[in-house]
Amino acid sequence: MVSSGVQVLGTTFSPFVNRVRISLNLKSVNFELIEENLAAKSDLLLKSNPVHKKVPVLIHDGKCISESLVIVEYIDEKWSGDDGVSILPSDPYDRAVARFWAAYFDDKVVPVLFKLSFGPESERVALIEQLAEGLVPLEEAFMTCSKGKSYFGGDNIGYTDIALGSFIGWIKAIEKMSGIKVLAEAKTPGLVGWVNKFLSTDAAKKFVPELEVYVELLKKMQA
Amino acid sequence: MVSSGVQVLGTTFSPFVNRVRISLNLKSVNFELIEENLAAKSDLLLKSNPVHKKVPVLIHDGKCISESLVIVEYIDEKWSGDDGVSILPSDPYDRAVARFWAAYFDDKVVPVLFKLSFGPESERVALIEQLAEGLVPLEEAFMTCSKGKSYFGGDNIGYTDIALGSFIGWIKAIEKMSGIKVLAEAKTPGLVGWVNKFLSTDAAKKFVPELEVYVELLKKMQA
């Protein structure tokens, strides 16, 4: 582990924070998670991310970086080359494809997850359908990007894997609570296989909370 | 000019497309703009960007890349080093800052511009106030990033300049039609100076349409 005085302001269950934790873990960077209480944000958080006042914030060398995907790119660039682990691929076109799908996920899928968690119960069935539809293009993306390998990043997890994979727990909790399969073998066989492989990687497994943690959290949010 | 068989699917007035045109121009890459009729999208557009069906699309080496900021990064990486022009800075932290502010602009400012252009007249005064407020953090960002120089990128325009600058015509048209100053010397002196400098750069001036073009367009959108 590289020792570097790296801190992450966040919560253990936030998928956005887990993008950062998985990326640091992948790069073998030692870090301290400073747990935030989002109901009573710390002065450190308000000072570190005055614009959005949100987690995650990465604090490194006295500098603060916000926005999960911006942080992931920073980590990839700052700790590059030491042991050959790259988060983004090296080819500019492949990099663009990875960024495209991460942006797609944040624009089209994440807002549905939020509505499912905080919105009215009456809309949930329609939203789950919308969620499942939003994941379909990612099945095609997986088939194209993985080129027959295990991950979007090929043989190893990369940018798209991290961007999407951090949200698996949340999606599984929605499936569990609604009794409706969002990722089903029939429609998205590639993604179903990818989920299991992603969750078993060293980088991800310690940072994706147990399903029951998300179910409890979701119950609270929906209440 | 590098000759390279580069095509951009777009419209001359779209700020998103102009991000791409300015970036290519900055890199001295010759390209052809294939004008799209957004009311009757071409088969080429639907095939090139099947997910979002939106402009801009960059076509290069038979590959299609979508999402304006993703394309800007592709251009920066693909045509790097030839003549020393970089769009993103080299330092990972400075790159993160540039990406942060571009994302901020797209998340917080652009949606207000859309509402102002397509939403009901009754909300316009409140939205213009919201727009002006949304620009205030960018004044601070400019002061920090420019380090006393002319642009967010320092001595030369860079990623944040392109991301924000492409929207200047739209903002000015809103000011003109409402009679309300959004960028005023009193509140955002740095940005006011930056706007004029940005519009006078070789890379930008040929691609930012005249104010009257935007005013006419805005009248149509608001009608």
Side-chain angles (χ1 to χ4, degrees):
Chain A
M1 284 275 180
V2 176
S3 178
S4 53
V6 176
Q7 295 172 312
V8 177
L9 308 189
T11 67
T12 49
F13 58 80
S14 161
F16 298 103
V17 174
N18 286 334
R19 286 176 171 171
V20 174
R21 296 164 88 202
I22 293 169
S23 299
L24 288 168
N25 200 27
L26 203 61
K27 292 280 188 173
S28 303
V29 176
N30 215 345
F31 66 95
E32 176 193 4
L33 177 75
I34 301 179
E35 189 88 27
E36 274 293 325
N37 174 0
L38 298 183
K41 295 175 181 175
S42 72
D43 286 345
L44 181 60
L45 175 58
L46 300 179
K47 212 181 104 186
S48 315
N49 186 2
V51 174
H52 299 299
K53 304 174 180 70
K54 283 182 183 169
V55 294
V57 178
L58 180 79
I59 305 181
H60 180 224
D61 282 346
K63 286 168 178 164
C64 304
I65 301 141
S66 308
E67 296 289 87
S68 64
L69 293 177
V70 172
I71 299 173
V72 173
E73 293 231 30
Y74 173 85
I75 291 167
D76 198 28
E77 293 171 358
K78 193 75 190 181
W79 290 280
S80 64
D82 290 357
D83 52 3
V85 176
S86 282
I87 294 175
L88 276 161
S90 57
D91 176 72
Y93 175 72
D94 293 339
R95 293 164 71 85
V97 171
R99 289 183 181 122
F100 175 89
W101 287 115
Y104 169 85
F105 188 80
D106 279 7
D107 289 349
K108 302 291 179 194
V109 179
V110 171
V112 184
L113 287 172
F114 272 100
K115 280 186 207 158
L116 270 165
S117 306
F118 295 103
E121 200 176 339
S122 58
E123 293 175 9
R124 268 179 220 155
V125 174
L127 284 169
I128 289 176
E129 254 176 60
Q130 198 184 328
L131 177 62
E133 271 169 40
L135 294 172
V136 170
L138 294 169
E139 174 72 13
E140 279 184 57
F142 177 76
M143 291 305 180
T144 312
C145 296
S146 63
K147 294 164 188 157
K149 307 289 176 71
S150 298
Y151 306 105
F152 283 89
D155 282 320
N156 300 295
I157 66 169
Y159 191 74
T160 317
D161 297 282
I162 294 168
L164 279 55
S166 302
F167 284 78
I168 291 171
W170 197 355
I171 294 172
K172 278 181 173 275
I174 284 169
E175 284 184 331
K176 171 111 182 174
M177 284 184 67
S178 66
I180 304 171
K181 275 273 167 207
V182 175
L183 285 171
E185 195 68 47
K187 261 194 166 175
T188 53
L191 288 182
V192 169
W194 165 77
V195 160
N196 296 325
K197 281 176 192 148
F198 178 81
L199 291 178
S200 70
T201 58
D202 285 338
K205 66 183 169 196
K206 57 190 274 206
F207 296 132
V208 176
E210 293 296 315
L211 177 58
E212 288 311 319
V213 174
Y214 272 114
V215 170
E216 281 309 305
L217 203 68
L218 198 59
K219 277 184 191 162
K220 273 190 205 164
M221 292 195 289
Q222 289 184 343
Chain B
M1 284 277 179
V2 178
S3 178
S4 53
V6 176
Q7 295 173 312
V8 177
L9 308 188
T11 66
T12 50
F13 58 80
S14 162
F16 297 103
V17 174
N18 286 334
R19 286 176 172 171
V20 174
R21 297 164 87 204
I22 293 169
S23 299
L24 288 168
N25 200 27
L26 202 61
K27 292 280 190 174
S28 302
V29 177
N30 215 345
F31 66 95
E32 176 194 4
L33 177 75
I34 302 179
E35 189 89 27
E36 273 292 326
N37 174 0
L38 298 183
K41 295 175 181 177
S42 72
D43 286 345
L44 182 59
L45 175 59
L46 299 179
K47 211 181 104 189
S48 316
N49 186 3
V51 175
H52 298 298
K53 305 174 180 69
K54 282 182 184 171
V55 294
V57 178
L58 181 78
I59 305 181
H60 180 224
D61 282 346
K63 286 169 180 163
C64 305
I65 301 140
S66 307
E67 296 289 86
S68 63
L69 293 177
V70 172
I71 300 172
V72 172
E73 293 230 33
Y74 174 84
I75 292 167
D76 198 29
E77 293 170 359
K78 193 75 190 180
W79 290 279
S80 64
D82 290 357
D83 52 4
V85 176
S86 282
I87 294 174
L88 276 162
S90 57
D91 176 73
Y93 175 72
D94 294 339
R95 292 164 73 86
V97 171
R99 289 183 181 122
F100 175 89
W101 287 115
Y104 169 85
F105 188 80
D106 279 7
D107 288 350
K108 301 292 180 192
V109 179
V110 171
V112 184
L113 288 172
F114 272 99
K115 280 186 207 158
L116 269 165
S117 306
F118 294 102
E121 201 177 338
S122 59
E123 292 174 10
R124 267 178 221 155
V125 173
L127 284 168
I128 289 176
E129 251 174 64
Q130 200 184 326
L131 177 63
E133 269 168 44
L135 294 171
V136 170
L138 294 169
E139 173 73 13
E140 278 184 58
F142 177 75
M143 291 305 178
T144 311
C145 296
S146 64
K147 294 164 189 156
K149 307 288 177 71
S150 297
Y151 306 105
F152 283 89
D155 283 322
N156 299 295
I157 66 169
Y159 191 73
T160 317
D161 297 282
I162 294 168
L164 279 54
S166 302
F167 284 79
I168 291 171
W170 196 354
I171 294 172
K172 278 182 174 276
I174 284 168
E175 284 185 329
K176 171 113 182 173
M177 284 184 68
S178 65
I180 303 170
K181 276 273 168 206
V182 175
L183 285 170
E185 195 69 47
K187 262 194 167 175
T188 53
L191 289 181
V192 169
W194 165 78
V195 161
N196 296 324
K197 280 176 192 149
F198 179 81
L199 292 178
S200 70
T201 57
D202 285 338
K205 67 184 170 197
K206 58 191 273 206
F207 296 131
V208 176
E210 294 295 316
L211 178 58
E212 287 311 317
V213 174
Y214 272 114
V215 170
E216 280 312 304
L217 201 70
L218 198 59
K219 277 184 191 163
K220 273 190 205 164
M221 291 194 289
Q222 289 184 343

